[in-house]
Amino acid sequence: LLGEATFFKALHYYMNTWHGKHPSPYDFFYCINKGSGQNLDWFWNKWFFGWSYPDLSIRSVTPQGYETLITVENKGGLPLPVHLTLKTSDSVLVVKSTAEVWDQGQHIHQYRVEVPMHKITEISLGDSYIPDKYPSDNLWKSR
């Protein structure tokens, strides 16, 4: 979400501020916000205080002329990164987004890819590092 450089800057800010003291989880959240220069309250609230769970799905795949529109649904509500792998007969295309696509609380996000739908053989959502409670709806195959 922050990128490696910003994350380490924020983490060092936290470590320097609370070294030898007894911080609470809130102190960690505030330091990461301040050290990164970003307001991540939307992230902390969902991950640590809400009842959301990790579950993304491929809601639909529709042709849009020479492009394809892929709709991803966040069923569980937890902000997760999106990792789409599109396979064609001769290539593989990977589309990635950070968890920030869910920062306004939306549950739908659309991706327009410059590959005609009839050329796509398979679309998979997620990878081994992204948790998903119901992975059965993370695969789309052409008929």
Side-chain angles (χ1 to χ4, degrees):
L1 179 63
L2 296 174
E4 194 172 319
T6 303
F7 173 74
F8 282 119
K9 177 183 164 196
L11 186 61
H12 282 108
Y13 177 80
Y14 167 73
M15 292 187 303
N16 291 334
T17 302
W18 287 97
H19 178 73
K21 301 175 186 170
H22 302 285
S24 72
Y26 294 102
D27 298 320
F28 176 77
F29 303 153
Y30 296 141
C31 281
I32 296 296
N33 283 357
K34 188 168 183 178
S36 69
Q38 298 182 36
N39 183 352
L40 299 173
D41 291 347
W42 61 271
F43 181 82
W44 306 125
N45 286 332
K46 291 279 188 178
W47 270 90
F48 293 95
F49 303 110
W51 291 97
S52 301
Y53 58 94
D55 185 26
L56 299 178
S57 71
I58 298 174
R59 183 176 191 177
S60 65
V61 178
T62 54
Q64 298 282 313
Y66 291 104
E67 298 177 326
T68 302
L69 187 66
I70 303 165
T71 303
V72 175
E73 181 177 7
N74 189 339
K75 289 182 169 182
L78 201 61
L80 297 165
V82 178
H83 186 277
L84 290 166
T85 304
L86 290 78
K87 294 182 182 175
T88 66
S89 59
D90 59 348
S91 66
V92 174
L93 173 68
V94 176
V95 178
K96 295 180 183 181
S97 296
T98 67
E100 197 168 13
V101 298
W102 314 111
D103 70 344
Q104 299 297 314
Q106 61 273 38
H107 292 278
I108 301 292
H109 191 72
Q110 294 184 321
Y111 295 89
R112 186 177 307 276
V113 293
E114 295 181 3
V115 178
M117 186 172 155
H118 70 274
K119 289 190 174 187
I120 300 173
T121 58
E122 180 180 296
I123 301 173
S124 61
L125 174 63
D127 65 13
S128 59
Y129 298 106
I130 302 171
D132 198 301
K133 186 164 176 88
Y134 302 105
S136 60
D137 54 10
N138 292 356
L139 183 66
W140 177 90
K141 291 188 176 190
S142 66
R143 296 180 185 175

